[in-house]
């Protein structure tokens, strides 16, 4: 049997909404990507991946949650200015690891909410406590060395810790401490970390952030490399309507519903290709 991988990239709250909308729409078209042999989640994708593989809540329920009104909590910011700052650091870095170390230094010196508050926020969003039976990989970057790792159920790390680390955007949220090490967002290494799906026969990538910069390789480029190695790969990134729905701050919960609806609509465009890849 062909081995399948689903890769879910980072992209803030709007990225979560868009990914959930995309997954719901594809399921309506007869493609259940939650049955993948491995799900690889980065940042926002780690939350969606954990929710999807846990099977605690149907996709329609997860989608309905994306449509709910914001709960009034303060809005964090991650907009064009922050992405421009990250891009500048990327252009000055030799490779993804050196970029990770630079971003780690930024994270370690930034004034943010306390680490415990960040974990509580992720716990509320995640709603899942234990690693799923199906294989889930959650990416994070060592804030000191810049090296990427992928936590899974065999790592001895609680799921909440792994996801909190994967979602620790430098300069916005604090690094997360796990076994004495500090970890930051897995998207620092790559917005989707598609390369971790090497060796799988069929790969679907849902990546809210399509762009690259400096040593950071775009999801489509990573997907093309897997294709060159013999895999069948489909990379889905936001269309114009989805990008418009995201707005200028991907951490704005008020934009989450529009992003989810945009993902569900866009799924119709990709359903035939994904169905052919996944089921034949």
């Amino acid at each position: 049997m062909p081995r399948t991988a689903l890769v879910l990239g980072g992209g803030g709250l709007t990225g979560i909404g868009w990914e959930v909308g995309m997954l719901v729409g594809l399921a309506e078209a007869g493609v259940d990507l939650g049955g993948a042999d491995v799900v690889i989640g980065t940042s926002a994708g780690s939350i969606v991946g954990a929710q999807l593989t846990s099977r605690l809540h149907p996709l329609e329920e997860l989608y309905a949650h994306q449509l709910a009104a914001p709960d009034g909590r303060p809005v964090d910011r991650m907009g064009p200015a922050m992405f421009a700052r990250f891009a500048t650091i990327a252009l000055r870095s030799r490779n993804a690891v050196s970029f990770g170390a630079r971003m780690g230094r930024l994270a370690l010196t930034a004034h943010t909410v306390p680490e415990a508050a960040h974990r509580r926020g992720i716990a509320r969003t995640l709603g899942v406590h234990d690693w799923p039976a199906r294989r889930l990989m959650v990416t994070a970057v060592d804030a000191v060395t810049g090296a990427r790792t992928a936590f899974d159920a065999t790592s001895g790390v609680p799921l909440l810790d792994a996801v909190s680390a994967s979602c620790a955007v430098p300069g916005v949220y604090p690094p997360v401490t796990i076994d004495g090490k500090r970890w930051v967002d897995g998207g620092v290494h790559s917005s989707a970390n598609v390369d971790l799906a090497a060796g799988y026969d069929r790969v679907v990538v849902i990546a809210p952030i399509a762009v690259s910069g400096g040593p950071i390789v775009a999801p489509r480029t990573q997907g093309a490399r897997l294709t060159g190695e013999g895999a069948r790969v489909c990379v889905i990134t936001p269309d114009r309507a989805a990008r418009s729905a995201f707005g200028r701050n991907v951490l704005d919960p008020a934009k989450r519903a529009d992003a989810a609806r945009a993902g569900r609509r866009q799924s119709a465009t990709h359903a035939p290709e994904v169905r052919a890849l996944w089921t034949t």
Side-chain angles (χ1 to χ4, degrees):
M1 289 289 292
R3 296 204 310 154
T4 56
L6 170 63
V7 180
L8 299 169
L13 293 180
T14 56
I16 292 174
W18 179 75
E19 288 180 349
V20 171
M22 181 65 66
L23 290 168
V24 167
L26 292 174
E28 289 175 330
V31 187
D32 177 14
L33 296 180
D37 293 309
V38 66
V39 175
I40 300 166
T42 293
S43 199
S46 71
I47 291 176
V48 178
Q51 293 171 334
L52 180 68
T53 53
S54 73
R55 302 291 194 180
L56 291 178
H57 306 283
L59 271 173
E60 281 289 354
E61 183 178 326
L62 296 176
Y63 181 75
H65 179 72
Q66 299 305 310
L67 303 185
D71 60 10
R73 277 180 280 171
V75 177
D76 298 309
R77 293 206 60 81
M78 186 178 173
M82 182 67 74
F83 282 115
R85 185 178 185 185
F86 292 172
T88 299
I89 296 174
L91 291 172
R92 295 174 178 172
S93 303
R94 298 185 309 278
N95 51 45
V97 174
S98 65
F99 175 62
R102 287 172 182 261
M103 292 293 282
R105 287 195 292 273
L106 168 65
L108 290 167
T109 58
H111 296 287
T112 65
V113 299
E115 186 177 337
H118 172 58
R119 289 176 189 266
R120 287 194 298 270
I122 295 298
R124 285 193 296 266
T125 302
L126 184 60
V128 179
H129 303 290
D130 301 315
W131 286 97
R134 190 170 296 278
R135 191 178 186 207
L136 171 68
M137 298 171 66
V138 173
T139 65
V141 169
D142 188 313
V144 175
T145 68
R148 179 190 64 187
T149 196
F151 297 112
D152 62 15
T154 69
S155 301
V157 172
L159 177 63
L160 176 59
D161 287 359
V163 174
S164 296
S166 191
C167 295
V169 182
V172 180
Y173 302 117
V176 171
T177 307
I178 301 175
D179 295 334
K181 289 186 177 182
R182 309 296 299 282
W183 299 90
V184 296
D185 197 302
V188 165
H189 188 88
S190 164
S191 67
N193 292 289
V194 181
D195 60 302
L196 291 176
Y200 286 83
D201 305 295
R202 299 176 183 179
V203 181
V204 172
V205 181
I206 302 178
I209 299 176
V211 298
S212 61
I216 308 304
V217 182
R220 288 195 181 280
T221 303
Q222 291 183 320
R225 291 175 181 173
L226 295 187
T227 299
E229 296 169 3
R232 295 178 61 187
V233 182
C234 174
V235 179
I236 302 173
T237 58
D239 59 15
R240 181 178 298 178
R243 294 194 300 272
S244 177
F246 291 175
R248 296 177 63 82
N249 177 18
V250 299
L251 297 178
D252 186 354
K255 294 293 185 179
R256 188 178 56 195
D258 289 342
R261 295 187 184 99
R264 194 168 194 169
R265 287 193 298 269
Q266 187 183 344
S267 68
T269 301
H270 303 281
E273 178 186 3
V274 176
R275 187 187 307 111
L277 182 152
W278 205 253
T279 62
T280 60

